[in-house]
Amino acid sequence: MTTPRIEVDLSKIRQNARHLVDQLTPLGISVVGVTKGVCGHPDVARAMLDGGVAALGDARVTNVERMRAAGITAPVLLIRTPMLGQVDRIVRTCGTSLNADMDVVETLAHAACRAGRIHGIVVMVEMGDGREGMPPSAVSRFARRVMALPGVVLAGLGANFACLNRRAPDRVAMGAFLSLVPLVERACGVPLRVVSGGNSANLAGLRPGATRLNELRLGESILLGRNPLTGEPIAGLATDAFTLVAEVIESRTDAQRRGAGAMPEGLSRPDAGAASLLALGDQDTDTGGLSMPGLLTFLGSTSDHLLLRTPGQALAAGTEVRFGLNYSALMRAMSAPDIATVVRDAPATRRPLPGRGAQRDLEPT
Ligand SMILES: *Cc1c(COP(=O)(O)O)cnc(C)c1O
């Protein structure tokens, strides 16, 4: 099979989504499955929907268009503030977007009117992460202005925690966010349908008990089964839905390396011991975000090469090496033109992959 490739096990994504949906439903929280980490891959999006997510979310309209072109009709939330030049495409493909800029909302409203559609606006509040959103004191006035525009409807409030500053979302900030809901409802005279409280980092802090929080936007937890802040696995979730497979193109044994007398005088080579060079590089993924199989260790990477120390074993050219990925490695690999995506579903995962018989493959630990 072609390398490098990402193997995706859809049954694990479906199960992760199902597990989180089952946990959050009793709390009155619905899940938006965030697909930006897989560039809006339609099969992954469908697995999320099969697992029960209520809607999909992506940061880029190009990814949303990819899902629409594949026939996905589920509601889509654009989770990044729209660019002015993309509003027509956005109102055509996304029912709702996260917003905090009145020029953008007005431009969206014009586009929605032109298209004969109503576009939902979730007003983003900045609760300490420092990335998107407006200060809490500005929200009510902004929401009233949204309500006055034709073509758009005030869908609700949103906040994002722990993206830019990597600080765990604390209960004080969440409480302050939720306390805005009745204030805005009073100022606007309408109930807010959506109270969108954050991302996978918020899962750890959820407590049973009635709050107005009714939506979380979950990417990393569904895709990789991990808490984005700590990198720790989340109980009950699969962490190995994605595997990156790359191929050895040069191998050197310790003995070959010790024959360093063969180097021209005055030159030395880095003492790497047994090492293998793989056809995978910085252009393909975040090589620092790969988890190494077995005893292999990372020695370095360049645009097109990955050098691994392979103690005690020389991996012959053609050997496939299998890596786990963190979110940043996954996101880059899924958008890299030279990495194939091979999708498997439950029945196929029980069969050996074709073409691997003679090769010694290494599984990520
Ligand atoms: C990426 C993103 C998410 C999803 O974050 P995860 O940590 O992957 O769950 C949610 N909301 C916004 C605004 C985002 O940009």
Side-chain angles (χ1 to χ4, degrees):
M1 209 186 294
T2 176
T3 53
R5 64 178 182 271
I6 289 239
E7 294 178 1
V8 190
D9 185 337
L10 294 181
S11 65
K12 290 182 175 165
I13 295 178
R14 197 162 49 233
Q15 283 160 20
N16 283 357
R18 172 63 59 199
H19 186 87
L20 290 162
V21 167
D22 286 348
Q23 272 191 335
L24 294 171
T25 302
L27 304 179
I29 297 171
S30 74
V31 175
V32 174
V34 173
T35 50
K36 69 186 181 199
V38 292
C39 268
H41 195 291
D43 292 331
V44 176
R46 262 193 213 99
M48 289 183 175
L49 291 165
D50 290 345
V53 306
L56 299 169
D58 206 289
R60 294 169 192 253
V61 73
T62 42
N63 293 344
V64 179
E65 287 169 344
R66 183 181 179 195
M67 296 191 281
R68 292 301 191 215
I72 290 174
T73 56
V76 173
L77 169 69
L78 189 76
I79 61 171
R80 184 174 71 181
T81 302
M83 284 189 263
L84 294 179
Q86 296 186 333
V87 290
D88 289 298
R89 292 161 67 189
I90 288 165
V91 298
R92 225 178 295 130
T93 53
C94 307
T96 312
S97 55
L98 305 183
N99 282 277
D101 187 291
M102 192 44 69
D103 289 336
V104 173
V105 175
E106 285 174 354
T107 312
L108 275 171
H110 287 305
C113 289
R114 276 197 299 278
R117 293 177 187 244
I118 302 289
H119 185 78
I121 303 290
V122 171
V123 178
M124 290 301 277
V125 199
E126 208 285 284
M127 300 305 307
D129 181 51
R131 199 178 67 180
E132 69 267 64
M134 68 189 63
S137 59
V139 174
S140 286
R141 191 175 121 79
F142 191 94
R144 277 201 307 270
R145 290 182 67 190
V146 172
M147 286 188 64
L149 291 171
V152 291
V153 59
L154 177 67
L157 294 189
N160 201 45
F161 299 92
C163 256
L164 191 63
N165 70 18
R166 313 290 300 163
R167 218 172 48 216
D170 59 282
R171 258 190 283 174
V172 176
M174 180 59 90
F177 168 62
L178 295 175
S179 71
L180 292 170
V181 175
L183 293 181
V184 173
E185 287 180 331
R186 226 172 297 135
C188 296
V190 293
L192 295 176
R193 186 172 54 78
V194 176
V195 181
S196 190
N199 53 44
S200 298
N202 289 88
L203 286 168
L206 291 180
R207 303 277 180 285
T211 81
R212 290 296 305 277
L213 180 67
N214 65 12
E215 180 181 284
L216 285 177
R217 308 175 303 269
L218 303 180
E220 184 163 351
S221 49
I222 298 177
L223 298 171
L224 295 177
R226 290 181 187 274
N227 177 329
L229 282 177
T230 62
E232 289 298 311
I234 299 172
L237 301 185
T239 56
D240 57 351
F242 296 87
T243 307
L244 178 57
V245 185
E247 182 177 323
V248 175
I249 50 174
E250 280 183 40
S251 95
R252 293 151 225 170
T253 62
D254 277 318
Q256 281 171 333
R257 297 195 73 83
R258 272 195 299 273
M263 287 294 277
E265 208 179 325
L267 292 182
S268 65
R269 57 178 110 202
D271 178 26
S276 297
L277 190 65
L278 280 72
L280 182 81
D282 302 336
Q283 186 171 310
D284 303 299
T285 189
D286 175 0
T287 55
L290 300 177
S291 54
M292 301 290 139
L295 295 173
L296 307 197
T297 51
F298 176 83
L299 282 172
S301 66
T302 60
S303 55
D304 309 293
H305 295 88
L306 176 64
L307 187 64
L308 301 183
R309 187 174 158 71
T310 53
Q313 51 186 334
L315 303 178
T319 305
E320 292 191 347
V321 182
R322 303 168 66 80
F323 301 93
L325 306 97
N326 72 8
Y327 197 66
S328 133
L330 174 68
M331 178 152 19
R332 287 201 17 213
M334 288 299 290
S335 59
D338 289 324
I339 298 201
T341 307
V342 178
V343 167
R344 293 185 284 162
D345 212 337
T349 55
R350 290 186 215 106
R351 287 201 302 268
L353 283 175
R356 283 173 47 189
Q359 288 166 347
R360 189 155 44 117
D361 294 341
L362 295 165
E363 302 283 340
T365 44

